[in-house]
Amino acid sequence: MYVLRGICLQKGRLNQHHDIIREEPSGTDPCPICGSVRQCDVHWEHIRPFDEYEMEEIANNYDGIGGCNVFPGGVPGPFNPRLIIFVDHPDATKERILERIRRRISMHQDGQRTYELIFVSRSRGTMQAKMGVKEKFGQLVDQWRFFEPSFAPMIEFRDFDGVWVRTYHANQNYMMYRRIMPNPLAI
């Protein structure tokens, strides 16, 4: 993936929280932001994936409050109810991430509870591109909780620095209602 960086004459410095992302870089003349010819200093950069040190730094932030499992590239170890998913990791594809979540939902239903999912990316734009959504992260969360409402009461999407953060907490009333009411598909 590539991201547009630099300075646009009309918009100013392009910051990482309003990325334009492409699978393949395209031309920058005229400027993809304002359309001016040979006036803006913008260029396409390859998105650098997280290195082991950065992944360890983020995981260590959660170690003091109970530990975590890491995907992908995590060291195999005991199950932990907190899972950190590094979206920009080269081995993380949307399909592999969704497969891991389906597996965690199944484990959750079998008694190994997942209480937190934390998705980390370089920026909001790279998270949106990798997960295939615009601003609708809540729709993803609703899909996962449709299968098991008590799954991951706290789901967080964030960038590396924690400047952009979206947190979704489970609706406790809905979870109580689902426990009382029988599953209509099971009848």
Side-chain angles (χ1 to χ4, degrees):
M1 271 193 272
Y2 293 84
V3 64
L4 193 64
R5 296 280 189 240
I7 299 173
C8 172
L9 217 64
Q10 288 183 7
K11 295 290 183 179
R13 179 169 296 283
L14 305 177
N15 66 34
Q16 68 176 3
H17 304 293
H18 300 288
D19 291 332
I20 295 177
I21 297 181
R22 294 240 166 123
E23 288 298 321
E24 295 292 326
S26 60
T28 56
D29 203 13
C31 174
I33 304 294
C34 69
S36 64
V37 178
R38 294 188 201 143
Q39 294 181 1
C40 298
D41 183 22
V42 295
H43 59 280
W44 292 98
E45 289 181 7
H46 184 70
I47 296 172
R48 183 178 63 84
F50 291 112
D51 60 30
E52 293 299 319
Y53 173 77
E54 291 169 324
M55 291 172 63
E56 187 176 314
E57 180 182 337
I58 290 174
N60 286 340
N61 289 337
Y62 294 98
D63 270 347
I65 50 176
C68 60
N69 293 126
V70 173
F71 176 81
V75 177
F79 176 84
N80 194 293
R82 180 181 296 118
L83 174 63
I84 300 175
I85 298 174
F86 289 94
V87 176
D88 290 342
H89 192 281
D91 294 336
T93 63
K94 182 179 181 181
E95 294 76 27
R96 287 191 70 206
I97 291 170
L98 294 178
E99 174 58 34
R100 176 58 56 126
I101 291 170
R102 282 191 291 272
R103 203 170 330 152
R104 290 293 285 231
I105 290 172
S106 178
M107 292 167 71
H108 185 86
Q109 291 172 330
D110 290 339
Q112 285 187 300
R113 299 286 190 206
T114 296
Y115 294 110
E116 292 182 31
L117 284 179
I118 297 112
F119 294 84
V120 183
S121 67
R122 286 277 170 215
S123 69
R124 178 182 71 191
T126 59
M127 178 84 71
Q128 291 169 328
K130 188 69 82 99
M131 299 301 289
V133 296
K134 293 287 183 196
E135 288 290 328
K136 308 291 184 187
F137 291 105
Q139 289 179 346
L140 283 175
V141 172
D142 290 343
Q143 288 174 8
W144 302 330
R145 289 194 180 131
F146 174 78
F147 295 107
E148 177 56 54
S150 67
F151 176 71
M154 197 282 290
I155 298 177
E156 181 176 278
F157 298 88
R158 60 170 278 199
D159 64 0
F160 177 72
D161 298 324
V163 175
W164 172 76
V165 179
R166 295 287 181 271
T167 304
Y168 298 88
H169 295 282
N171 181 344
Q172 297 300 326
N173 294 331
Y174 178 70
M175 289 182 353
M176 291 297 291
Y177 177 75
R178 284 290 300 243
R179 285 190 196 120
I180 294 169
M181 297 299 294
N183 183 349
L185 300 176
I187 298 176

